Amino acid sequence: MLLFAPIAGAVSNAGNIKKADLYKAPENSTTNNNLFAELSTKAELYNTNFDKVPGVLQRLVASEEIAGKIKLENGEMLYVTLLMGGGKIRDFYSYTTPNDPNSKFGPSITVETDEKTVKKVLDSEEPLKEAVKSMNDDSLKVETEGIFRNMMLSTLKAFYK
């Protein structure tokens, strides 16, 4: 879901660089939304296995803020943000408004879809191929900012048709 992917490691002379804490799915989520709980579990699983994520996907989401807008089967909206840091998912949370109240700069990648598409991707034997198929049939809309991200998204679509 939402192109869970790590950032590439950054090299800096800026002094002390602290490794990001790993994202841990909430054990007793206060949300009543089962989809958010399932996505939280998948985010934790991703962190455990992120070294298996294709490089093209890793480069697409390098140190990004990813906003997700998911129309639920009951007609409500699920708004989520995925923050990447240190090559892992640093934070994943939901909120009740269309715009993330915690965002300082706004998302660099926005994903819009519905619950049916999310579940179809999650349940697939090949989730990345299923996600690309959903992008191509427009049931999963991914908007990126910048030429580099647009090129990486195009490359991803070409490799995983």
Side-chain angles (χ1 to χ4, degrees):
M1 183 269 150
L2 299 180
L3 303 174
F4 287 144
I7 66 165
V11 178
S12 172
N13 294 331
N16 294 335
I17 297 175
K18 184 179 176 186
K19 182 179 176 187
D21 294 329
L22 295 183
Y23 172 77
K24 182 83 172 153
E27 290 182 25
N28 295 316
S29 178
T30 56
T31 180
N32 291 327
N33 185 290
N34 291 335
L35 184 59
F36 180 74
E38 183 177 357
L39 292 173
S40 292
T41 301
K42 296 291 185 184
E44 186 175 346
L45 181 64
Y46 164 81
N47 271 347
T48 303
N49 297 304
F50 97 98
D51 58 322
K52 298 174 184 166
V53 172
V56 67
L57 188 56
Q58 291 180 19
R59 287 184 293 280
L60 173 64
V61 298
S63 191
E64 306 297 336
E65 177 179 326
I66 303 169
K69 300 174 182 185
I70 305 167
K71 184 172 184 177
L72 301 176
E73 291 174 355
N74 65 8
E76 294 179 13
M77 292 296 293
L78 173 63
Y79 300 104
V80 297
T81 291
L82 176 68
L83 300 175
M84 305 304 292
K88 306 263 181 173
I89 295 170
R90 189 179 71 214
D91 203 1
F92 179 59
Y93 57 90
S94 67
Y95 40 94
T96 58
T97 60
N99 297 312
D100 182 349
N102 299 319
S103 180
K104 291 181 176 83
F105 302 107
S108 51
I109 299 175
T110 303
V111 178
E112 292 186 48
T113 191
D114 57 35
E115 185 172 3
K116 180 181 174 183
T117 302
V118 170
K119 288 184 177 185
K120 189 175 179 182
V121 170
L122 291 177
D123 294 340
S124 174
E125 290 289 322
E126 297 183 69
L128 190 51
K129 274 191 168 187
E130 188 61 44
V132 169
K133 181 180 173 189
S134 296
M135 283 186 247
N136 289 332
D137 73 19
D138 221 24
S139 61
L140 178 68
K141 296 176 181 139
V142 179
E143 293 182 22
T144 58
E145 291 187 9
I147 294 170
F148 176 76
R149 287 182 206 94
N150 285 332
M151 287 182 351
M152 289 286 81
L153 184 60
S154 294
T155 301
L156 181 74
K157 287 180 175 182
F159 282 160
Y160 293 94
K161 283 186 185 183

